[in-house]
Amino acid sequence: MAGNNAEDVEGSAGADCKTNSTAEVPPEFLIKHPLQNTWSLWFYDNDRTKSWEENQIELTTFDTVEDFWRLYHHIKLPSELRQGHDYAVFKQGIRPMWEDDANKMGGRWLISLEKKQRNSDLDRFWLDVVLLLIGENFEHAEEICGAVVNVRPKFDKIAIWTADTSKQQANLEIGRKLKDQLGIHGVIGFQLHRDTMVKHSSATKNLYTV
Ligand code: MGP
């Protein structure tokens, strides 16, 4: 995989893989299944000598189901990342930051995980969220900018970022589906980026809850 910090994110899945010659595979099985959007995978490096923005590295893009799975099996799971690191998957052209034009008026559905959930739920939740995104499984998928997973000492976080906080119906549909698909029983909240910007996330008020 291209990227300055590939050693931090590359998993070991490829190491023992025996590859079959593609010459044996009938051509109809080699067709790739296109996604509706092209998506970028970002990695936040947490290098203290760099600014927050400089730490955001766009590792690669993918636009087919097959390329997504190849990438997924090649990189570390969130639970294997160092604390302080993030992954983000955003529609190509949208940077995973509040300042991007696509995010300026937006917010996020935030799932905070308890420490013990790093072993039980973090990787599963992240994969489910990414599959929901790239599979365009939301009725209002056009409102979605991307998703972020933060690996942190206090508690890990997963969030879906949407574009326009004023679209109540669309945001609620996304929140309900997210909660339902992940099988979350507690309440989850939606916060405006402009509130998160000025407060610690734990204290940021919710605009919507489901
Ligand atoms: P964080 O990485 O989203 O969460 O934000 P963390 O580490 O759990 O910290 P907490 O504040 O939520 O408790 C950490 C810090 O990174 C923020 O306080 C900002 O300084 C910076 N930061 C985070 N985001 C998402 C952005 C962003 O979009 N733009 C800029 N400029 N800084 C950001």
Side-chain angles (χ1 to χ4, degrees):
M1 181 187 300
N4 306 343
N5 294 68
E7 71 277 11
D8 279 338
V9 289
E10 279 186 0
S12 58
D16 304 322
C17 243
K18 291 193 180 73
T19 48
N20 292 323
S21 162
T22 52
E24 297 160 18
V25 181
E28 63 268 30
F29 290 99
L30 295 177
I31 293 168
K32 288 187 178 179
H33 298 79
L35 299 171
Q36 206 163 309
N37 279 289
T38 302
W39 297 85
S40 294
L41 172 69
W42 294 77
F43 173 64
Y44 179 81
D45 192 24
N46 197 27
D47 175 343
R48 280 156 207 273
T49 65
K50 293 181 183 162
S51 69
W52 186 88
E53 207 161 319
E54 285 167 347
N55 270 304
Q56 286 286 1
I57 301 160
E58 187 176 9
L59 292 173
T60 190
T61 61
F62 55 92
D63 62 2
T64 68
V65 175
E66 289 77 6
D67 288 347
F68 165 71
W69 283 113
R70 201 161 44 155
L71 174 64
Y72 178 77
H73 290 302
H74 190 63
I75 61 172
K76 287 181 177 172
L77 296 166
S79 63
E80 296 168 336
L81 292 178
R82 264 185 261 155
Q83 304 200 95
H85 285 172
D86 304 340
Y87 281 140
V89 170
F90 272 67
K91 286 175 181 163
Q92 187 180 34
I94 305 179
R95 294 166 303 148
M97 46 191 83
W98 307 317
E99 295 83 353
D100 193 281
D101 280 345
N103 296 320
K104 265 184 188 160
M105 306 304 289
R108 63 174 177 174
W109 281 106
L110 179 63
I111 301 165
S112 297
L113 290 93
E114 291 174 30
K115 255 185 170 171
K116 61 181 181 204
Q117 287 182 282
R118 184 170 300 166
N119 292 327
S120 56
D121 294 327
L122 179 67
D123 297 333
R124 180 172 67 87
F125 279 6
W126 176 243
L127 177 60
D128 284 355
V129 165
V130 173
L131 291 177
L132 282 169
L133 256 58
I134 69 176
E136 310 286 336
N137 278 315
F138 296 97
E139 203 182 310
H140 295 279
E142 74 288 350
E143 284 301 313
I144 288 178
C145 299
V148 182
V149 56
N150 307 117
V151 182
R152 295 291 182 273
K154 37 184 180 156
F155 48 87
D156 303 326
K157 291 178 281 183
I158 292 177
I160 288 187
W161 287 31
T162 65
D164 185 346
T165 56
S166 69
K167 296 195 174 161
Q168 182 175 7
Q169 201 194 330
N171 282 307
L172 285 173
E173 183 262 328
I174 291 164
R176 284 190 194 112
K177 181 131 197 175
L178 172 66
K179 188 175 153 173
D180 184 53
Q181 293 290 308
L182 266 50
I184 293 173
H185 299 298
V187 172
I188 60 169
F190 179 90
Q191 305 165 351
L192 280 65
H193 293 319
R194 64 167 186 270
D195 289 342
T196 310
M197 252 178 234
V198 294
K199 284 182 188 168
H200 263 259
S201 57
S202 51
T204 306
K205 67 176 187 293
N206 292 321
L207 178 65
Y208 310 119
T209 53
V210 291

